[in-house]
Amino acid sequence: MTGPPRTRRLLLLLGALSTFGPLSIDLYLPALPALARQLGTTDDAAQWSISACMIGLALGQLFMGPLSDKIGRKRPLFIGVATYTVASLLCATAPSITVLIVLRLVQGLAGSAGMVAVEAMVRDLYEGRQMARILSLLMLVGGCAPIVAPVLGGQLLHFTDWRGLFVLLAVISALLLLAVIALPETLRPELRHAGGLRRVRAGFSAVVRDRMFVGCTLGTSIGSIALFIYISVSSFVLEGGYGVSPQVFSLIFAVNSVGLVLGGWFNSLLLRRYAPERLLVAESLVALGASAVALVAAVLDAPLTVFLPALFLTILSGGLASPNATALALTRHPANAGTAAALLGSTGFLFGALFAPLASLGGATAIAMTCGITLARIGSWLAYALVARPQRTG
């Protein structure tokens, strides 16, 4: 790194690439109920179009991570973004929910390259507390996507339908392809791995033997279930249960996304004084308390003026601990940064894809949503406190 301007430029590019997950999921959330009607399917089946993308994001990272450790970060990233562009265009032409789910899986597989590359590049360039601060700042940059995407999607529904939103995703990913070209290669040649499957297995084995890595990965992955429950169920709760329009829902979702960004910002401020080891468990406990408040509001059938602030605090608190857990998970694995980032990211998306739909099996209600979020936050706190135990190494 040669100075602040270059650092800021790199952070902006990495932040833009980190938007693949939010853009893939959040842009068409306001259109999800209408998508189910237009394709003649159920709400549960429509939600699986989200889960399929998350499964792709999860599984793709397990391949892209080791590959980036072997050949560098840029080439897999370029191929992934290009494939994502094509998959987005094909999603716009899907004739049925089954075809859409398959294409969303492909879209997720391709988009996983961006998810892996960002964390691996940060690990290539930074260490320890500075890495945690950079990850928090990237949450601020990348957090613009879940703020802008649903608002943009909701407003565009005045002029187009969900198919037009996938065309927009293709345009955005084509622009991100230009960002990939501008990025430097951050993995030095001497750190690249030769060898095939044996080297990949050795990399995975080295990572999963680290108790800190396992605990932080479990904590962030179980915590991600809370976020994905909110993402997949909130449109049905607010539009169906509270009767808000898709446009109003998109604004509510954007405001809550600001909360997620603020959580990352608050954490970056705390890191100026405290090490991530000291913050992790306490911040996860704060998130648990906030989700419990939202659950109480749902059980009491609180009006929207009460329920929405409780939900906002729930989402804000979810942005506190995650950057610290990511930094602590990656910091001891410079030789396997791509592999470690892949395991960390893929487990989170896989947990979210498999468990988030369970929250709406009995109906997409406010109680079901907040109860699922609270249970996930309990599991996340236990993983940090009992498995990672960061204060014993801080």
Side-chain angles (χ1 to χ4, degrees):
M1 309 300 290
T2 59
R6 184 177 177 186
T7 300
R8 287 194 295 268
R9 188 163 56 250
L10 180 62
L11 286 176
L12 286 172
L13 290 175
L14 291 177
L17 289 167
S18 71
T19 62
F20 270 113
L23 283 177
S24 301
I25 296 167
D26 297 342
L27 184 69
Y28 83 127
L29 278 181
L32 203 57
L35 179 151
R37 292 193 299 270
Q38 290 179 21
L39 291 180
T41 188
T42 64
D43 292 346
D44 288 342
Q47 289 175 44
W48 272 105
S49 68
I50 296 176
S51 291
C53 183
M54 291 194 290
I55 290 171
L57 287 166
L59 298 180
Q61 289 182 70
L62 294 176
F63 171 76
M64 290 294 184
L67 181 64
S68 73
D69 283 338
K70 182 177 181 180
I71 68 173
R73 315 301 185 198
K74 283 195 68 170
R75 278 186 288 171
L77 184 57
F78 184 89
I79 295 170
V81 177
T83 304
Y84 183 96
T85 304
V86 175
S88 298
L89 289 174
L90 293 175
C91 284
T93 67
S96 67
I97 189 63
T98 302
V99 174
L100 179 63
I101 288 173
V102 172
L103 289 172
R104 289 282 284 165
L105 177 66
V106 175
Q107 193 183 39
L109 289 169
S112 67
M115 310 293 290
V116 168
V118 169
E119 291 184 357
M121 285 178 164
V122 171
R123 180 60 191 89
D124 292 340
L125 297 170
Y126 302 100
E127 298 280 348
R129 188 183 301 191
Q130 187 182 20
M131 179 167 58
R133 287 197 65 207
I134 293 297
L135 289 169
S136 291
L137 292 173
L138 282 177
M139 181 176 286
L140 297 179
V141 178
C144 293
I147 296 170
V148 174
V151 175
L152 182 61
Q155 298 307 312
L156 285 174
L157 290 177
H158 286 300
F159 310 101
T160 186
D161 61 5
W162 60 271
R163 297 182 188 276
L165 300 184
F166 279 107
V167 173
L168 179 61
L169 273 180
V171 173
I172 293 172
S173 57
L175 294 175
L176 289 177
L177 198 59
L178 299 178
V180 174
I181 296 173
L183 279 175
E185 175 58 66
T186 59
L187 184 63
R188 300 193 306 273
E190 64 269 22
L191 292 178
R192 299 180 191 183
H193 297 160
L197 290 177
R198 180 177 298 178
R199 181 64 190 82
V200 172
R201 286 197 300 268
F204 278 121
S205 178
V207 169
V208 299
R209 286 199 302 267
D210 179 5
R211 174 187 53 76
M212 177 73 79
F213 177 87
V214 172
C216 288
T217 299
L218 278 176
T220 56
S221 299
I222 298 172
S224 70
I225 297 173
L227 180 60
F228 289 129
I229 287 174
Y230 162 72
I231 288 172
S232 62
V233 179
S234 59
S235 62
F236 296 99
V237 170
L238 294 174
E239 293 182 31
Y242 283 94
V244 306
S245 68
Q247 287 72 35
V248 172
F249 165 75
S250 69
L251 293 174
I252 293 171
F253 193 91
V255 170
N256 286 339
S257 297
V258 172
L260 190 64
V261 173
L262 287 176
W265 179 66
F266 287 148
N267 183 64
S268 70
L269 295 180
L270 290 171
L271 285 167
R272 295 178 180 178
R273 184 170 181 179
Y274 303 104
E277 291 87 349
R278 293 190 60 188
L279 294 172
L280 184 62
V281 176
E283 288 176 338
S284 64
L285 191 57
V286 169
L288 171 56
S291 62
V293 171
L295 174 58
V296 171
V299 170
L300 295 178
D301 196 20
L304 205 58
T305 53
V306 175
F307 181 68
L308 286 182
L311 190 60
F312 175 82
L313 291 176
T314 299
I315 303 305
L316 184 151
S317 63
L320 293 171
S322 180
N324 296 328
T326 300
L328 291 172
L330 297 180
T331 191
R332 294 192 284 192
H333 300 283
N336 296 292
T339 299
L343 274 173
L344 183 66
S346 64
T347 307
F349 277 101
L350 195 59
F351 274 39
L354 296 178
F355 292 104
L358 298 179
S360 61
L361 285 181
T365 66
I367 293 176
M369 180 178 73
T370 53
C371 182
I373 290 173
T374 302
L375 290 174
R377 294 275 173 82
I378 292 172
S380 180
W381 170 66
L382 289 174
Y384 292 144
L386 302 182
V387 181
R389 293 176 290 172
Q391 288 178 310
R392 297 193 179 188
T393 58

